[in-house]
Amino acid sequence: MNTTLLSALGRRIYKLRLEPFKALNIWLEQYREIWEEKLDSLELYLKELQNKTQ
């Protein structure tokens, strides 16, 4: 579980553990790079289309 639960004075206090999120971030980084490239290409294509219609 990525959280711990502390019970104090009838309140629930959650504390996130960073380690699982660090691992997730490393795994997602490869996909971020791919999507950034694809979105950059899309942006260039849309700009070319826009320039053709002007």
Side-chain angles (χ1 to χ4, degrees), residues 19-39:
E19 294 79 18
F21 293 101
K22 288 178 182 178
L24 177 61
N25 188 48
I26 291 168
W27 182 78
L28 285 173
E29 188 60 35
Q30 62 188 326
Y31 296 101
R32 279 191 203 104
E33 291 173 5
I34 292 168
W35 278 104
E36 284 177 8
E37 290 174 13
K38 292 188 180 296
L39 291 172

Side-chain angles (χ1 to χ4, degrees), residues 2 8 10 15-17 25 28 36 38 46 53-54:
N2 294 334
K15 181 179 177 183
L16 295 175
R17 292 187 302 119
N25 188 48
L28 285 173
E36 284 177 8
K38 292 188 180 296
L46 293 174
T53 60
Q54 290 178 353

Side-chain angles (χ1 to χ4, degrees), residues 41-52:
S41 295
L42 176 61
E43 181 182 17
L44 289 173
Y45 174 74
L46 293 174
K47 284 182 179 179
E48 288 175 10
L49 282 179
Q50 187 176 28
N51 288 337
K52 287 180 182 178

